[in-house]
Amino acid sequence: MEMMGNESMIWEGHPTWRAMLSFHIKWFAITLVAFGLLLLVRNIGVDLSYPVIVVVLIAGIGVTVLSGWLQRFFTQYTITTKRLTIRSGILSKTESSTNVDRIQNITVKQSPVDRIMKVGSIDFDTAGDNAADRFSFIGVNDPQDLRERIMHAREDEKAEGRHDPQ
C-alpha cells in the first residue's frame, strides 16, 4: 500500500491462524463424517476399496488446510494514521478503504473460544448508513490492544490538526 503525505503505519496484518481453528475443526469434522459414511457403505456391501476411502480422507484434510491457509494469507488488513484498508482475494482482488476520521464507533467482539485463543473481531462503524460503511477485521490478535492503538492515533492526529495553522 502506498502511503500519502504525512501518513504513517499503525498496524498491518492478516487474520491469525488461531482464528481459523473453528473453520478447520468444522471441515475436519465434515471430512470425518464423510469418511465414516464411506466405511459404513463399504461394510453394507458396496464395492469400495480402502485406498479410495483413505484418499477421500486425505483429500478432505488437504483441501481444508489449503483453503484455510489461502483465505488467511490473501486477506490483508492495514491501518494507517489516515486510512483503514481491507484487501482480499486470490485471482481477483477486492479492496475497501475509508478515512480514519470517518470512524464513529469501534466494537471488539470475542466469543468464549476467541477469548481463550486471544483473538477477536474489530468492527468499525463509519459515517453513513450503507453496509459498505462498515468494516470488520476478523480474527486479529489482541483486538483490545489494536483498538487502543487506533484510538491513540486518532487523538494524536486530531491534536496535530489543532496545532497545524495551514
Side-chain angles (χ1 to χ4, degrees):
M1 184 171 101
E2 190 174 325
M3 299 287 183
M4 299 184 292
N6 59 351
E7 183 176 29
S8 60
M9 185 69 66
I10 295 172
W11 182 82
E12 183 175 36
H14 301 273
T16 180
W17 66 269
R18 292 187 317 271
M20 300 299 292
L21 282 179
S22 62
F23 169 85
H24 286 99
I25 290 169
K26 177 179 81 173
W27 287 103
F28 286 156
I30 290 171
T31 299
L32 289 175
V33 167
F35 178 72
L37 288 174
L38 289 175
L39 286 176
L40 182 65
V41 166
R42 185 181 192 288
N43 287 340
I44 291 173
V46 176
D47 187 26
L48 278 175
S49 66
Y50 281 116
V52 169
I53 297 172
V54 170
V55 165
V56 168
L57 177 66
I58 292 170
I61 291 171
V63 167
T64 298
V65 169
L66 181 64
S67 62
W69 182 83
L70 289 172
Q71 181 180 353
R72 186 177 99 68
F73 186 78
F74 287 102
T75 300
Q76 181 177 2
Y77 305 130
T78 306
I79 303 171
T80 69
T81 52
K82 305 283 186 192
R83 298 178 281 172
L84 289 178
T85 306
I86 300 172
R87 184 176 185 156
S88 61
I90 297 172
L91 297 176
S92 61
K93 294 282 185 186
T94 301
E95 186 171 317
S96 301
S97 64
T98 190
N99 292 334
V100 170
D101 59 1
R102 291 192 54 189
I103 297 172
Q104 293 179 337
N105 299 310
I106 300 174
T107 306
V108 173
K109 294 181 181 176
Q110 288 182 295
S111 70
V113 173
D114 288 342
R115 288 179 53 117
I116 292 167
M117 301 304 290
K118 297 183 182 175
V119 298
S121 298
I122 303 176
D123 293 337
F124 302 93
D125 295 328
T126 60
D129 293 331
N130 298 331
D133 294 328
R134 294 181 190 93
F135 287 77
S136 292
F137 287 10
I138 299 168
V140 295
N141 283 322
D142 199 2
Q144 290 87 357
D145 177 60
L146 184 55
R147 177 188 56 201
E148 294 305 314
R149 289 171 59 186
I150 296 163
M151 298 300 278
H152 288 300
R154 284 184 64 204
E155 291 304 316
D156 292 347
E157 196 68 21
K158 285 179 185 178
E160 284 180 22
R162 285 190 291 256
H163 299 311
D164 194 9
Q166 288 184 356

